[in-house]
Amino acid sequence: MWRLFCVFLLCCSGPLLAAPALTLKSARQTVTYELATLQGQSGLRGITIPNDVAYNRSMQYQALPLAPLLRQAGFQPGDQLRLVALDGFAMTADAAPFLNEQGAQAWLAVENPQAPWPPLKPGKPGAGPLYVVWTHPEQGKVTAEMWPYQLAMIDRVAPLEERFPMLLPDAALPRQGAVWQGFAHFKQHCLACHSLNKGGDARLGPDLNVPYNPTEYLGERFLRQLIRDPKSLRWWEKGQMPALSAQSLSDAQLGELLQYLQHMAGRKVTP
């Protein structure tokens, strides 16, 4: 959830130097595009994003359709993608929506260094140099986490459940029950910034189970308030945790998420 602004990239192998480039790593090959190469692509065109997730207003970009780049690199609809940003944000998602070229469509917005995008907040960097934006997101299941800015890498990975078994609830619990449903919400809304039991790709926000789970020091009322409106509970100048609205996560789904966290408080693992 937190998008702190750093000058390094954290991924599975440790820190990498920040660079204005995009690395695509499929099962078939690894391709790196320098910023100048992306700016010279024939498919680059101007697009308008009426309700930009990062800027919360209408924005105009020079952008490339993301699907052709992914296909050229060897990605397939059944792949799991990990999208990693320069600030440590890392989200895992099915490749299929990013390969779609009708309805909800992903674009790679490419910043012109001579005309940089505005700061996300006063005194902060902008969303560049590379930013995944969507046209017609309402026509697909496109969440806010699927708009990573300061993008540095997209790679093919094994499913989260295989790579990070320490995230999993008790296998004896019903898969359609509240705890497992809460795990699904956690993967979608929290894991892009947080780890749990030190499992997960992101290194942006604090771990949510070790040494303590938030359900162990915040009552349900204040934990709900923290998730719905973080700055109404705790404020600091560099805090970047966004509000999670009822449109993104219903009250019932939020309750399931809290049940997952409560359950995992009894399943602490330190790998």
Side-chain angles (χ1 to χ4, degrees):
M1 291 179 182
W2 275 270
R3 295 299 303 268
L4 304 178
F5 297 96
C6 309
V7 293
F8 56 89
L9 166 65
L10 289 172
C11 67
C12 58
S13 59
L16 300 177
L17 293 179
L22 175 65
T23 298
L24 303 178
K25 299 172 66 176
S26 71
R28 191 179 74 191
Q29 62 179 328
T30 298
V31 181
T32 297
Y33 292 96
E34 299 297 332
L35 186 61
T37 302
L38 293 170
Q39 290 172 330
Q41 293 284 312
S42 60
L44 193 71
R45 52 170 285 193
I47 62 171
T48 298
I49 305 298
N51 188 20
D52 186 273
V53 166
Y55 287 102
N56 295 308
R57 59 185 172 91
S58 179
M59 292 289 293
Q60 293 184 334
Y61 298 105
Q62 291 293 308
L64 293 164
L66 186 56
L69 289 176
L70 294 178
R71 288 199 180 93
Q72 186 176 0
F75 291 98
Q76 302 293 325
D79 290 343
Q80 286 277 295
L81 301 184
R82 176 174 56 182
L83 292 88
V84 183
L86 294 172
D87 61 4
F89 176 95
M91 66 89 61
T92 302
D94 293 335
F98 294 89
L99 292 169
N100 188 39
E101 295 188 73
Q102 295 183 349
Q105 184 178 2
W107 297 76
L108 182 67
V110 182
E111 185 178 42
N112 182 349
Q114 305 306 315
W117 301 330
L120 291 163
K121 289 187 176 182
K124 304 298 183 183
L130 301 172
Y131 174 25
V132 176
V133 300
W134 293 78
T135 51
H136 307 294
E138 71 283 353
Q139 297 183 23
K141 296 181 179 179
V142 179
T143 66
E145 290 75 21
M146 295 168 68
W147 297 64
Y149 52 78
Q150 299 179 1
L151 182 70
M153 181 175 69
I154 302 176
D155 64 348
R156 178 183 181 272
V157 293
L160 280 165
E161 292 82 353
E162 294 180 17
R163 293 187 292 131
F164 304 113
M166 70 285 290
L167 301 174
L168 299 179
D170 188 339
L173 294 175
R175 291 302 178 106
Q176 299 305 315
V179 170
W180 276 93
Q181 291 302 305
F183 173 52
H185 306 320
F186 180 83
K187 288 192 296 180
Q188 180 176 353
H189 296 289
C190 307
L191 203 53
C193 295
H194 295 278
S195 60
L196 188 141
N197 283 336
K198 298 187 179 180
D201 294 311
R203 296 294 183 269
L204 189 54
D207 190 278
L208 295 181
N209 209 37
V210 291
Y212 291 102
N213 187 298
T215 62
E216 296 178 284
Y217 56 84
L218 282 175
E220 181 174 343
R221 171 194 166 192
F222 288 111
L223 189 49
R224 284 178 177 268
Q225 183 177 338
L226 176 65
I227 293 170
R228 288 293 190 220
D229 187 8
K231 291 184 178 179
S232 72
L233 186 65
R234 50 170 71 146
W235 183 92
W236 68 103
E237 185 177 356
K238 295 184 179 181
Q240 298 296 323
M241 182 175 173
L244 192 56
S245 70
Q247 287 70 40
S248 299
L249 187 74
S250 71
D251 287 339
Q253 291 171 330
L254 177 53
E256 292 171 338
L257 173 59
L258 298 184
Q259 288 193 55
Y260 166 72
L261 290 174
Q262 291 167 349
H263 172 72
M264 296 306 293
R267 291 174 64 83
K268 293 183 189 295
V269 177
T270 304

